Amino acid sequence: MIADSWIADSAALSWNVADDLRQMFAFPFMVNAFRAGTIVAILAAVIGWFMIVRRQTFAGHTLALVGFPGAAGASLVGVSTQFGYFGFCTVAAIAIGAVPRVASQSYGEESAFIGTLQAFALACGFLFVSLYGGNLSGTTSLLFGTFFGITDSQVMVLLGVACVAIALVGLGARPLLFASIDPDVAAARGVPTRWLSIGFLALLGITAAEVSQVTGSLLVFALLVLPPATAQRVSARPSTSLLVGVVIALLVTWIGLAAAFFSPYPSGFWITTLAFGGYIAAVLVARRR
């Protein structure tokens, strides 16, 4: 919050776009913010697109919240919060994937387990904060995120994880899409739907952990759901929709970061508001059609 206030006082927006950009990128933390934002936006749009097709947004929301106790627990024991984010989210994703999906139960067993896991994770997060003494530094950042404190090493970790995750999705995109649209027919055709489900949930957990480090645990859906959901309103073609989702995620992230730099309001607010506005616009246009 202090950094946001200092930025708002020192940055001045003018009609000279080139000068404004030069002023903004003169700060190393803004360069890292745009680097991290670009990486996270692309990864979130790609994984989020499949998450929506597979109707696993509830699981994605829970995995995002699991990042909070993970980061808080890591701070409690004195290690990097990145270990907490990735460790807790990955373990939780594998646990969710281990719950069998039975069509006749309409995923009721899985939903009950996910809801229980979500409540337990939040309780653990508050416990870790309390054990830290009630003054855990950056608690607000853990929940609502910040782009303005990302280091060079964190950017490299985000880039490496994103490249691996996107490469794995690219390798299994066709069977994953088939299993997402019609799992019964895919299983009958010999597609390993069970292992695909577990593998995708693991990637979803990694993505939620990565996005949480930038947006915070509570605002992950600003990039994980809204851009791909908007894109699927724009086009029904998978390739086109996926590309549109990436473009939307990049635009809202870049514009949101710039708006946060030149205003007293946090980046999470701008990114979420822009993404939500884009989704509402897409819904209204689709209804007019």
Side-chain angles (χ1 to χ4, degrees):
M1 296 300 293
I2 296 175
D4 291 342
S5 300
W6 178 81
I7 292 171
D9 293 337
S10 61
L13 186 63
S14 67
W15 292 105
N16 190 334
V17 177
D19 185 65
D20 291 339
L21 292 175
R22 192 180 308 109
Q23 177 185 1
M24 183 170 59
F25 288 117
F27 296 94
F29 67 84
M30 282 305 299
V31 175
N32 280 339
F34 271 84
R35 288 173 176 169
T38 300
I39 295 168
V40 167
I42 295 173
L43 177 62
V46 173
I47 301 297
W49 190 90
F50 283 97
M51 179 188 70
I52 294 174
V53 172
R54 294 177 60 81
R55 298 183 296 279
Q56 291 184 308
T57 52
F58 186 34
H61 176 63
T62 297
L63 293 175
L65 294 180
V66 167
F68 167 60
S75 298
L76 178 63
V77 299
V79 299
S80 172
T81 56
Q82 285 190 320
F83 289 106
Y85 277 120
F86 286 117
F88 269 58
C89 290
T90 303
V91 170
I94 295 175
I96 294 173
V99 178
R101 280 190 161 196
V102 181
S104 61
Q105 296 178 347
S106 300
Y107 306 135
E109 183 178 352
E110 183 190 57
S111 298
F113 176 77
I114 292 173
T116 302
L117 180 63
Q118 182 180 124
F120 179 69
L122 288 174
C124 288
F126 284 115
L127 172 64
F128 295 153
V129 171
S130 177
L131 291 176
Y132 201 84
N135 297 310
L136 181 63
S137 177
T139 301
T140 302
S141 297
L142 297 181
L143 293 174
F144 298 101
T146 176
F147 275 95
F148 302 127
I150 299 174
T151 63
D152 293 338
S153 60
Q154 287 177 312
V155 171
M156 295 307 298
V157 172
L158 295 178
L159 178 61
V161 172
C163 288
V164 172
I166 292 176
L168 290 174
V169 171
L171 291 174
R174 290 178 65 86
L176 178 60
L177 182 59
F178 187 15
S180 301
I181 295 175
D182 199 333
D184 294 332
V185 175
R189 293 288 185 87
V191 177
T193 55
R194 177 68 173 164
W195 290 108
L196 277 175
S197 178
I198 296 176
F200 176 76
L201 279 169
L203 290 178
L204 181 58
I206 291 173
T207 302
E210 180 148 332
V211 179
S212 295
Q213 297 177 53
V214 178
T215 64
S217 295
L218 297 183
L219 298 180
V220 169
F221 269 22
L223 293 178
L224 193 61
V225 171
L226 288 173
T230 304
Q232 291 181 18
R233 289 278 183 172
V234 173
S235 175
R237 293 175 60 87
S239 57
T240 303
S241 179
L242 189 59
L243 178 60
V244 171
V246 171
V247 172
I248 293 174
L250 289 173
L251 287 177
V252 298
T253 300
W254 293 340
I255 297 174
L257 285 174
F261 180 79
F262 290 106
S263 74
Y265 307 112
S267 57
F269 163 76
W270 287 112
I271 293 172
T272 305
T273 300
L274 291 169
F276 178 71
Y279 177 76
I280 294 299
V283 170
L284 294 177
V285 170
R287 288 184 177 181
R288 287 179 63 90
R289 291 176 180 174

